[in-house]
């Protein structure tokens, strides 16, 4: 079975105007203004997706910056209206290093200004489902947004664990300025099914519950820490014990924090922390 058709084109995203996500896309125009600011969106033409009967959908690749995070989306138009779109993307630097990937329309950390290749695999369907097409294409984009200074950073020592042992990790969460508030939610996740167990004597940390009462259980491979009073110059430290059986598991970390802005429904961000690796004996 043949895979989706793939197309390659190179354009400069930072030189294109912002466009809405509804209605047919306007013609591409040059933009002479300075680098876009946080909250702005920039778009470029994608490739047409061809469905049954030779009908096609026009697509775009759009990028929007929200503080330290970027969202890549691919709005499409079929049957003279916006399509339902789903899919994934992979974003790589000039040297082939992956800097971002995931589902279209979800936020990830902004890698900073530069030129990147974005490979998209997507599906577009009309509201009536009369049009349904899949395809893959690649664009090279140049982003001019400066990378915002970090509000928080996460470090951990040691950075390696071994199977058959219990290791105490020390996570340090540092707040660098007064943006946002002093609360943060640190999440640690091991690989389910490996037998890894995370625990902490810190009262701010707990293994989250799963299932419903009365058969609720705690997830031993996940630890959730609700940190308070994190101030510049006063980093929060959390000690976590990782117990491994015969199998290896990495430990990933993420942290949510708030940057209030009026009454927006989602003003926080998920910061990726360090990955603790596992070295076999």
């Amino acid at each position: 079975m043949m895979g989706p058709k793939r197309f390659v084109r190179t354009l400069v995203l930072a030189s294109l105007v912002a466009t809405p996500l509804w209605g047919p896309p306007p013609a591409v125009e040059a933009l002479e203004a300075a680098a876009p600011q946080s909250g702005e969106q920039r778009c470029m033409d994608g490739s047409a997706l061809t469905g049954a009967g030779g009908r096609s959908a026009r697509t775009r690749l759009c990028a929007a910056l929200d503080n330290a995070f970027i969202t890549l989306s691919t709005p499409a138009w079929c049957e003279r209206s916006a399509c339902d779109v789903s899919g994934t993307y992979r974003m790589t630097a000039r040297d082939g290093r992956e800097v971002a990937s995931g589902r279209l329309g979800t936020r990830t950390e902004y890698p900073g200004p530069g030129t990147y290749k974005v490979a998209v695999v997507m599906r577009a369907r009309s509201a009536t489902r009369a049009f349904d097409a899949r395809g893959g294409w690649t664009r090279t984009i140049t982003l001019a947004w400066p990378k915002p200074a970090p509000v928080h950073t996460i470090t951990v020592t040691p950075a390696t664990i071994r199977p058959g042992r219990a290791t105490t990790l020390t996570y340090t969460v540092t707040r660098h300025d007064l943006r946002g508030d002093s609360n943060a939610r640190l999440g640690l996740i091991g690989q389910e099914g490996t037998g890894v167990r995370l625990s902490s004597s810190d009262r701010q940390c707990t293994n989250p519950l799963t299932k419903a009462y009365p058969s609720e259980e705690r997830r031993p491979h996940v630890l959730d820490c609700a940190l308070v009073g994190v101030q510049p110059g006063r980093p929060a430290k959390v000690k976590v014990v990782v117990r491994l059986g015969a199998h290896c598991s990495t430990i990933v970390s993420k942290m949510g924090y708030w940057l209030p802005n009026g009454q927006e429904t989602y003003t926080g961000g998920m910061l990726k922390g360090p990955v603790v690796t596992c070295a076999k004996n």
Side-chain angles (χ1 to χ4, degrees):
M1 181 175 180
M2 296 182 62
K5 295 182 180 179
R6 297 192 175 274
F7 306 84
V8 179
R9 185 179 299 165
T10 301
L11 290 175
V12 179
L13 180 62
S15 66
L16 305 183
V17 294
T19 58
L21 295 182
W22 55 89
V28 175
E29 300 175 2
L31 181 70
E32 303 297 337
Q37 302 298 311
S38 181
E40 288 189 84
Q41 175 177 269
R42 296 298 167 95
C43 296
M44 65 191 297
D45 285 335
S47 290
L49 298 182
T50 303
R55 292 179 298 174
S56 63
R58 299 172 63 187
T59 68
R60 307 208 86 190
L61 174 64
C62 295
L65 186 71
D66 176 13
N67 187 44
F69 302 90
I70 192 171
T71 301
L72 295 182
S73 60
T74 54
W77 291 263
C78 50
E79 295 186 342
R80 299 183 179 181
S81 62
C83 302
D84 293 329
V85 174
S86 61
T88 60
Y89 74 93
R90 183 173 182 264
M91 185 174 178
T92 54
R94 288 181 182 270
D95 58 5
R97 174 177 48 90
E98 181 179 298
V99 297
S101 63
R103 290 184 294 110
L104 292 166
T106 59
R107 303 196 320 166
T108 189
E109 285 189 72
Y110 175 49
T115 299
Y116 304 97
K117 181 179 290 185
V118 180
V120 172
V121 177
M122 64 177 291
R123 180 183 188 182
R125 295 185 294 175
S126 63
T128 62
R129 299 296 187 264
F131 178 88
D132 190 339
R134 303 169 189 260
W137 42 269
T138 300
R139 293 291 179 272
T140 297
I141 61 175
T142 297
L143 302 177
W145 289 303
K147 189 171 184 176
V151 178
H152 299 79
T153 55
I154 309 168
T155 59
V156 63
T157 57
T160 305
I161 54 180
R162 295 182 182 278
R165 300 184 186 181
T167 306
T168 299
L169 306 178
T170 301
Y171 285 87
T172 301
V173 176
T174 303
R175 183 181 174 199
H176 296 280
D177 58 39
L178 294 175
R179 285 177 291 166
D181 58 31
S182 61
N183 295 344
R185 184 176 178 180
L186 176 66
L188 310 176
I189 308 175
Q191 292 175 258
E192 190 172 8
T194 62
V196 61
R197 303 180 69 87
L198 307 179
S199 63
S200 177
S201 60
D202 194 316
R203 297 180 64 182
Q204 298 178 110
C205 301
T206 185
N207 300 101
L209 292 168
T210 185
K211 299 185 179 179
Y213 179 84
S215 60
E216 56 192 18
E217 298 175 1
R218 294 198 178 272
R219 298 183 128 187
H221 69 288
V222 181
L223 194 67
D224 189 8
C225 301
L227 308 180
V228 296
V230 183
Q231 299 288 2
R234 290 172 50 194
K237 292 183 179 291
V238 177
K239 291 188 179 297
V240 176
V241 177
V242 179
R243 292 179 174 85
L244 286 179
H247 301 286
C248 258
S249 171
T250 56
I251 310 297
V252 301
S253 58
K254 290 189 177 183
M255 190 185 72
Y257 59 91
W258 286 98
L259 288 173
N261 182 17
Q263 290 183 309
E264 291 185 7
T265 56
Y266 185 74
T267 54
M270 290 302 295
L271 174 69
K272 289 183 180 179
V275 177
V276 176
T277 59
C278 180
K280 294 183 178 180
N281 295 324

